[in-house]
């Protein structure tokens, strides 16, 4: 009898202990869940604050990147006619440590001479493209060919050279076309065929003045005669062709692609040949 009472008493104590343990576990689990919830909540707040902070820090840069400019072409006539090419362009982000190659620039109508490197580095198109960090249109056979590379980083406000604002790349494609020359007796010289592709890039540091400069560089070639617009199937962009009034052999194709302004300048080259190049750019 005593043994039975002892066993029953032990069972009650054991049940009581288990109940207390369960209550304790529930309390602990609830506290852990609360803590996890608080940590997750704090993590979300931290991410939001970081996002807002980054947006604030890079607001100026982001503002520049969302600019959407329309490329206008000045015909160079006495009326100052300007034609909208319906091509849009904006900024490209380039690394801060890209090569600075500027040697001579025009600022406020005056030449500013910049000290030239002792031995200007020669770079292939592929090297320039890798340095900038994004794709630039070219024909495959010129990927490993040396190109003309120049930059502009002059700040008119500080009158100092700083971050690269504009980048220019020139690709010689003369060997892509058959040599076609005409002898000019009055000048005792030959007028021969040539063709080159230029890419004009506005970086994240470019301002409104730089955008206008790109347009002015196109406008400064006066006496243009616009030809019929061509739509490239390869690039899915409209290409504006124009010739020069004083010499119809001088023909230019201009368009924008991925926020870069491209121009194909040529002499004694057919329009069909220019289209062939455009449709093979990659």
């Amino acid at each position: 009898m005593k043994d039975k009472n002892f066993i029953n008493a032990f069972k009650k104590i054991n049940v009581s202990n288990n109940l207390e343990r369960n209550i304790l576990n529930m309390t602990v689990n609830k506290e852990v869940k609360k803590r996890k919830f608080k940590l997750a909540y704090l993590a979300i707040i931290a991410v939001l604050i970081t996002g807002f902070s980054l947006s604030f820090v890079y607001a100026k840069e982001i503002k520049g990147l969302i600019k959407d400019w329309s490329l206008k072409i000045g015909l160079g006539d006495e009326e100052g006619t300007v034609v909208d090419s319906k091509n849009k362009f904006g900024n490209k982000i380039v690394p801060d440590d890209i090569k600075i190659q500027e040697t001579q620039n025009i600022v406020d109508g005056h030449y500013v001479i910049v000290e030239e490197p002792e031995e200007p580095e020669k770079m292939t198109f592929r090297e320039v493209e890798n340095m900038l960090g994004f794709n630039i249109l070219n024909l495959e056979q010129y990927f490993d060919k040396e190109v003309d590379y120049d930059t502009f980083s002059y700040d008119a406000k500080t009158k100092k050279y700083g971050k690269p604002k504009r980048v220019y790349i020139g690709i010689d494609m003369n060997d892509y076309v058959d040599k076609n020359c005409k002898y000019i007796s009055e000048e005792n010289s030959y007028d021969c065929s040539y063709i080159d592709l230029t890419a004009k890039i506005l970086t994240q540091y470019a301002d409104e003045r730089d955008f206008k400069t790109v347009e002015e560089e196109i406008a400064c070639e006066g006496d243009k005669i616009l030809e019929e617009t061509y739509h490239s199937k390869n690039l899915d962009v409209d290409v504006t062709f124009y010739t020069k009034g004083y010499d119809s052999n001088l023909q230019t194709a201009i368009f924008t692609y991925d926020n870069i302004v491209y121009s194909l300048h040529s002499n004694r080259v057919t329009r069909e040949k220019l289209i062939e190049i455009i449709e093979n750019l990659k």
Side-chain angles (χ1 to χ4, degrees), residues 38-204:
K38 283 181 179 177
L39 287 172
Y41 185 69
L42 289 171
I44 291 169
I45 291 173
V47 169
L48 289 172
I49 290 173
T50 303
F52 285 127
S53 299
L54 286 174
S55 297
F56 180 75
V57 171
Y58 294 108
K60 187 177 180 182
E61 193 167 302
I62 292 170
K63 185 180 178 184
L65 293 173
I66 60 172
K67 280 190 176 179
D68 192 17
W69 293 79
S70 178
L71 182 64
K72 294 180 174 59
I73 299 174
L75 298 187
D77 56 16
E78 292 181 0
E79 290 76 25
T81 308
V82 176
V83 179
D84 192 335
S85 72
K86 296 185 172 61
N87 275 239
K88 305 293 183 182
F89 68 105
N91 309 70
K92 300 288 288 184
I93 297 178
V94 302
D96 285 344
D97 59 351
I98 66 170
K99 200 73 66 182
I100 301 297
Q101 286 290 105
E102 55 193 344
T103 55
Q104 179 173 281
N105 291 293
I106 300 177
V107 179
D108 295 329
H110 301 285
Y111 279 102
V112 175
I113 307 301
V114 182
E115 186 177 348
E116 296 187 19
E118 291 181 8
E119 291 183 12
E121 287 193 32
K122 298 196 174 193
M123 290 185 287
T124 66
F125 171 81
R126 200 186 298 270
E127 288 170 335
V128 171
E129 193 178 53
N130 290 337
M131 177 182 66
L132 294 177
F134 49 80
N135 181 64
I136 303 165
L137 295 175
N138 193 6
L139 293 178
E140 196 169 0
Q141 61 259 48
Y142 298 116
F143 283 179
D144 293 305
K145 183 178 178 180
E146 288 182 351
V147 298
D148 292 327
Y149 170 83
D150 196 13
T151 57
F152 180 84
S153 64
Y154 184 79
D155 190 326
K157 291 181 181 177
T158 63
K159 300 190 183 303
K160 292 181 181 178
Y161 290 88
K163 303 291 187 182
K165 301 171 76 174
R166 305 197 301 268
V167 178
Y168 299 93
I169 300 162
I171 303 160
D172 181 348
M173 295 182 174
N174 289 340
D175 61 349
Y176 190 84
V177 294
D178 296 328
K179 193 168 184 179
N180 176 12
C181 294
K182 177 186 177 183
Y183 177 70
I184 304 174
S185 57
E186 301 84 22
E187 300 176 6
N188 191 27
S189 63
Y190 286 90
D191 180 31
C192 297
S193 57
Y194 67 78
I195 186 167
D196 61 71
L197 174 67
T198 62
K200 297 182 178 182
I201 300 164
L202 295 166
T203 77
Q204 67 268 37

